[in-house]
């Protein structure tokens, strides 16, 4: 008790002396954070990293163009490092990791050393790789890439002229639904016979594989990223699923709170020139049965900054993502009559139909389909990673953050 009294007397004496001598302690003022630039003159501000690559991606992988059971060495290509031959990326990011890795990517080999080969399309098979830094990628242990092979010529689609078109895969895209990967991709010129042979023996496939189609969207699932289920048919290019023989280009899928939504480029070479493509959106509750074309929604853009560069430019490929009520489309834009793209733009929406486009492209030239994927979201902002797909066959990695307030203001 005596000790406590002495202590209080000491503090009282110290305060009296301090007041007498006007003693004070300087406290460093805490600087206020710089305000995030808002919409200026009707244009969205460009965040740091939006247009800057952090580095070139290196994928340690092999591309294989052999049909199932084939092993011709000349159809097996090393596409690592300087031999990069990459296309159609899509990434799922796991902050805490999944099966040992934070980044999971699906892509198809193409361009680069493969793109100059007359058999290039045979290599365009779904390939899965993983990473911990977004720049260096490997095939996960236990998986043999590609997870699907091309068909033989005799198993390909034969049109009315009687000459079969060599079948091939393309345009891979995936989502993770909390328990499993759902991988979608497009098959071009596959016969019904081979799809029945390779596909699941399911009621879904029995109902949908009733006639040959020029193009077919398929799905496989995996709970670990290594072991994949047989093919399930999603929809094809026949009526009523699509306008007859539509190319259903680059379909991309997202998972919202209660459904799966898809976006695709509506393209037919027979459309009136100059072809300015539309984007159609479908929805599904089970990931297999989607809205038919004539009941699908047409995406509307508040602005199309690419038309200021070339009035013939339109969407050739796309990739979609979704987080916290925001929809994003990474658009590969160019002269679609040349079957290619030139630049990448990022668009966003709150309803999934009406989109605002960032006026400045992410990349202005030499790019194909790229992928933008959310990494984290807070109350104020969303952090993204991006894999940029260059037509040289190389991928590059970048990161940026978008302010939710800026996004909301841009939609007003």
């Amino acid at each position: 008790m005596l000790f406590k009294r002495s202590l209080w007397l000491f503090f009282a004496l110290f305060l009296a002396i301090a007041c007498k001598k006007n003693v004070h302690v300087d406290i460093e003022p805490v600087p206020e954070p710089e305000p995030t630039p808002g919409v200026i003159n009707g244009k969205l501000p460009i965040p740091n990293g939006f247009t800057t690559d952090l580095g070139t991606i290196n994928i340690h992988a092999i591309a294989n163009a052999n049909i199932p059971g084939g092993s011709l060495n000349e159809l097996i290509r090393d596409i690592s490092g300087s031999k990069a031959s990459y296309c159609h990326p899509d990434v799922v990011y796991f902050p805490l990791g999944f099966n040992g890795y934070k980044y999971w990517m699906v892509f198809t080999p193409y361009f680069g050393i493969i793109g100059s080969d007359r058999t290039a399309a045979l290599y365009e098979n779904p390939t899965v790789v993983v990473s911990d830094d977004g720049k260096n990628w490997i095939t996960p242990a236990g998986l043999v890439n590609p997870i699907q092979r091309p068909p033989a010529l005799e198993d390909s689609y034969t049109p009315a002229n009687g000459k079969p078109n060599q079948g091939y895969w393309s345009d891979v895209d995936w989502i993770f639904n909390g328990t499993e990967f759902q991988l979608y991709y497009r098959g071009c010129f596959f016969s019904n016979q081979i799809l029945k042979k390779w596909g699941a023996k399911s009621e879904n496939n029995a109902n949908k594989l009733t006639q040959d189609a020029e193009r077919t969207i398929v799905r496989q699932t995996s709970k670990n990223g290594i072991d994949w289920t047989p093919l399930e048919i999603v929809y094809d290019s026949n009526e009523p699923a699509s306008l007859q023989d539509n190319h259903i280009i680059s379909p991309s899928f997202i998972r919202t709170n209660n459904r799966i939504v898809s976006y695709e480029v509506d393209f037919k070479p027979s459309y009136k020139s100059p072809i300015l493509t539309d984007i159609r959106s479908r929805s599904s509750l089970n990931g297999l049965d989607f809205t038919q074309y004539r009941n699908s929604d047409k995406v509307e853009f508040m602005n199309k900054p690419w038309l200021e560069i070339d009035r013939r430019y339109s969407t050739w490929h796309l990739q979609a993502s979704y987080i916290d009520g925001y929809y994003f489309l990474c658009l590969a834009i160019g002269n679609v009559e040349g079957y290619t793209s030139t630049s990448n733009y990022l668009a966003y929406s709150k309803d999934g139909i009406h989109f605002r486009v960032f006026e400045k492209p992410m990349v202005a030239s030499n790019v194909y389909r790229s992928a933008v994927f959310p990494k984290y979201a807070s109350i104020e902002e969303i952090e993204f990673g991006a894999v940029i797909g260059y037509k040289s066959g190389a991928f590059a990695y970048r990161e940026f953050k978008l302010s939710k307030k800026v996004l909301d203001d841009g939609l007003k």
Side-chain angles (χ1 to χ4, degrees), residues 321-333:
S321 56
Y322 173 86
I323 189 170
D324 275 9
Y326 294 87
Y327 299 76
F328 296 90
L329 295 178
C330 185
L331 304 169
I333 301 293

Side-chain angles (χ1 to χ4, degrees), residues 379-395:
I379 296 176
E380 297 180 344
E381 63 184 8
I382 305 170
E383 179 179 347
F384 290 89
V387 173
I388 306 300
Y390 290 95
K391 288 194 284 189
S392 63
F395 282 170

Side-chain angles (χ1 to χ4, degrees), residues 291-308:
T291 312
Q292 294 180 349
Y293 178 91
R294 296 188 186 279
N295 294 322
S296 64
D297 293 315
K298 177 184 173 183
V299 167
E300 303 288 349
F301 290 105
M302 296 171 59
N303 59 327
K304 294 183 178 181
W306 50 83
L307 295 181
E308 298 177 11

